[in-house]
Amino acid sequence: MEKEYTSSCLCGKVSLKLAGPVSMCFMCHCGTCRRQTGCAYSHIATFPSEKVAFFVGSESDITLHSTSEELVRKFCRHCGSRVSNEILANNQTAVPVGCIHDAFKDNTYVPDFKPRAHLFYGDRVADVNDDAPKLRTKNPADGLVSP
């Protein structure tokens, strides 16, 4: 049986049903994510886009913002919460882990949502002590950042 998760915005007018295994879970340290979240990094889980559907609300409840040719960010038009990012190049939907219900238990990540890598770690503003690989950019060929 396929796992299912639900995510929602702050006001609850937009909620997504997320099906299937998580494709990837990572922390992004790029400047765009920092400015968009107001935090040192963004904790993201990706799912195949065809496995993501509205549970509450619809596209009319969403505001779109393209930050690159590869990425369209979606926000709740009622409360401004980030709902998801559409990663156009590989047909994935990225969802903030903090918006996913049941992503944490007993003050830690459930296994599906443990970060598997840090992207754009070369741009970080704070060090993170964990065992996940720290990629200089988003491309493994660009190398790792040494601890």
Side-chain angles (χ1 to χ4, degrees):
M1 183 172 166
E2 204 167 51
K3 289 184 179 181
E4 284 191 354
Y5 299 98
T6 303
S7 70
S8 62
C9 66
L10 184 61
C11 72
K13 291 185 178 175
V14 176
S15 183
L16 300 177
K17 185 174 283 189
L18 315 165
V22 174
S23 299
M24 179 67 171
C25 191
F26 59 89
M27 303 285 198
C28 185
H29 297 261
C30 78
T32 303
C33 282
R34 284 197 316 268
R35 286 186 300 279
Q36 193 268 315
T37 62
C39 298
Y41 51 83
S42 184
H43 185 183
I44 300 291
T46 64
F47 296 83
S49 293
E50 68 272 7
K51 300 286 190 168
V52 177
F54 282 98
F55 186 63
V56 174
S58 67
E59 288 290 338
S60 66
D61 295 305
I62 298 294
T63 297
L64 303 176
H65 177 69
S66 294
T67 53
S68 71
E69 292 180 7
E70 301 173 346
L71 191 69
V72 177
R73 296 176 188 265
K74 294 184 174 185
F75 301 88
C76 172
R77 72 173 185 86
H78 306 284
C79 68
S81 294
R82 185 172 55 165
V83 174
S84 66
N85 298 334
E86 297 302 320
I87 306 169
L88 304 174
N90 60 7
N91 199 33
Q92 293 283 306
T93 298
V95 179
V97 172
C99 296
I100 299 172
H101 306 195
D102 303 321
F104 303 92
K105 184 176 180 178
D106 299 327
N107 296 320
T108 192
Y109 314 110
V110 297
D112 283 348
F113 300 107
K114 180 180 180 193
R116 305 288 187 250
H118 291 266
L119 306 185
F120 295 99
Y121 200 72
D123 296 339
R124 73 192 179 282
V125 295
D127 290 333
V128 177
N129 281 331
D130 65 12
D131 58 354
K134 291 156 177 75
L135 283 70
R136 186 168 308 286
T137 65
K138 67 179 178 182
N139 184 347
D142 291 335
L144 297 174
V145 175
S146 299

